[in-house]
């Protein structure tokens, strides 16, 4: 079916819920695309769930570009979004536009950056360069040091105002959608009402225009999952039992069998 564009995503607001998920490589991008998601995010969560890093802080542009390139080879129908890693867009507007452009060169169709009003200049410059930008407010994991951990957002009144304000500012700057992470459900609902672009929520309730989850959490592959993630399968268990069975069969001489083997002409003649 028809390729999903940034325009299509905007048009879904108020008409149809948006289903988004992360994927980091060719194979999983093919599968999640076939499942019918609207947006595939090559998230910097790849650093934690694939590379075993302790946070997203050490994730580099080099890592992100390699994963975007792999995912893009699946040629998904869904909109493919590349997540900008820490330090690739904060130090200067020039660096930000350049690095975002590199994502597009590897096949991303948009980029995502964390932050609110303070990122308006960066968002404007990217959009000016022809790069669609997705915002990300509420819990911004790349700033967990400043935030004092991966804490719930928008519970205190002072925070609520800031979140709504940030959403409006980045909308004005030109984002085509806004991820709202780990934020009080009523606050995410308020943001959803106040902006004209779709809100894509994670751990921020159901009163949003769409949802996103990390693939490894959905599949039951993650070692630890945030409280808001829902596990739709137990692939950790499936892999464990499949590989254990393989080990058992190799040790017992049961694998490979004749059906996985072949013989020389001489052997075949001799056995006739
Ligand atoms: O990196 C990521 O997976 C994300 C989503 C959780 C929104 O940013
Ligand atoms: Na991210």
């Amino acid at each position: 079916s028809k390729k999903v564009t940034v325009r299509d995503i905007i048009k879904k607001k108020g008409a149809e819920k948006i289903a988004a998920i992360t994927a980091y490589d060719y194979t999983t991008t093919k599968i999640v695309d076939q499942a019918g998601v609207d947006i595939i995010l090559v998230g910097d969560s790849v650093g934690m769930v694939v590379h075993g890093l302790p946070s997203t802080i050490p994730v580099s542009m080099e890592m992100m570009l390699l994963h975007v390139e792999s995912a893009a080879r699946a040629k998904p129908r869904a909109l493919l979004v590349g997540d900008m890693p820490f330090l690739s867009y904060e130090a200067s507007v020039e660096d930000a536009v350049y690095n975002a452009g590199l994502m597009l060169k590897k096949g991303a169709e948009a980029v995502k950056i964390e932050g609110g009003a303070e990122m308006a200049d960066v968002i404007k410059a990217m959009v000016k360069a022809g790069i669609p930008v997705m915002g990300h407010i509420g819990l911004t994991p790349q700033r967990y040091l400043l935030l004092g951990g991966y804490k719930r957002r928008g519970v205190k009144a002072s925070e609520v105002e800031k979140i709504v304000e940030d959403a409006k500012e980045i909308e004005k700057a030109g984002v085509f959608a806004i991820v709202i992470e780990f934020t009080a459900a009523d606050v995410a609902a308020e943001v959803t009402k106040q902006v004209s672009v779709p809100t894509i929520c994670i751990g921020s309730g159901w009163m949003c225009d769409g949802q996103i989850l990390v693939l490894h959490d959905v599949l039951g592959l993650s070692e630890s999952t945030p409280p808001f993630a829902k596990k739709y399968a137990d692939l950790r268990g499936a892999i464990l039992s499949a590989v254990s069975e393989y080990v058992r069969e190799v040790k017992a001489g049961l694998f490979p069998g004749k059906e996985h083997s072949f013989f020389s002409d001489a052997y075949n003649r001799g056995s006739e």
Side-chain angles (χ1 to χ4, degrees):
S1 45
K2 195 175 137 284
K3 177 72 198 151
V4 178
T5 67
V6 164
R7 293 283 125 209
D8 296 328
I9 297 300
I10 295 170
K11 275 189 276 174
K12 288 186 197 296
K13 188 177 178 99
E16 179 197 343
K17 291 268 191 182
I18 297 161
I21 199 160
T22 70
Y24 314 108
D25 66 11
Y26 171 80
T27 302
T28 54
T29 298
K30 276 229 153 166
I31 300 168
V32 301
D33 192 54
Q34 212 181 323
V37 294
D38 302 300
I39 298 174
I40 299 170
L41 172 70
V42 182
D44 67 346
S45 52
V46 69
M48 298 175 76
V49 301
V50 174
H51 296 271
L53 292 168
S55 76
T56 55
I57 300 282
V59 175
S60 65
M61 271 302 292
E62 200 181 9
M63 282 169 69
M64 291 310 301
L65 291 175
L66 197 61
H67 286 286
V68 164
E69 198 172 17
S70 175
R73 287 195 191 107
K75 297 191 181 358
R77 170 188 173 276
L79 185 77
L80 188 67
V81 181
D83 211 4
M84 299 296 289
F86 178 67
L87 219 55
S88 69
Y89 61 95
E90 302 93 328
S92 77
V93 170
E94 289 77 12
D95 279 359
V97 173
Y98 185 82
N99 286 324
L102 293 181
M103 291 282 209
L104 263 53
K105 283 180 185 280
K106 295 296 186 188
E109 296 160 325
V111 300
K112 178 170 79 57
I113 70 170
E114 295 184 8
E118 74 284 359
M119 285 295 137
D121 288 347
V122 168
I123 294 163
K124 278 183 204 161
M126 286 177 176
V127 173
K128 192 173 157 193
I131 302 166
V133 183
M134 183 181 259
H136 184 157
I137 59 172
L139 172 61
T140 46
Q142 291 174 10
R143 297 174 188 194
Y144 82 99
L145 293 168
L146 200 62
L147 298 173
Y150 302 99
K151 292 183 177 153
R152 298 184 301 168
R153 312 286 296 166
V155 177
K156 293 195 180 72
S158 58
E159 251 178 42
V160 174
E161 249 177 78
K162 171 87 174 106
I163 290 167
V164 176
E165 197 50 43
D166 279 341
K168 287 190 192 166
E169 287 299 314
I170 64 174
E171 179 193 18
K172 224 189 296 171
V175 297
F176 72 89
I178 303 173
V179 168
I180 308 174
E181 181 164 352
F182 213 14
T183 298
D186 55 305
V187 177
E190 183 60 24
V191 170
T192 301
K193 246 188 270 170
Q194 297 245 357
V195 298
S196 62
V197 294
T199 54
I200 317 280
C201 289
I202 172 162
S204 307
W206 62 94
M207 295 168 275
C208 303
D209 299 308
Q211 298 292 328
I212 185 162
L213 282 175
V214 168
L215 179 66
H216 288 53
D217 295 343
V218 169
L219 299 182
L221 278 171
S222 303
E223 275 177 321
S224 65
T225 53
F228 50 76
K230 182 172 173 185
K231 200 168 128 176
Y232 285 84
D234 176 25
L235 285 204
R236 185 167 275 271
I239 293 173
L240 186 64
S241 80
V243 178
S244 301
E245 181 67 358
Y246 163 69
V247 170
R248 193 189 65 76
E249 288 197 352
V250 169
K251 302 274 183 193
L254 295 169
F255 175 84
K258 275 202 173 133
E259 71 276 30
H260 303 108
S261 309
F262 62 93
F263 300 92
S264 67
D265 290 341
Y267 181 95
N268 284 329
R269 273 195 301 275
S271 65
E272 265 161 28

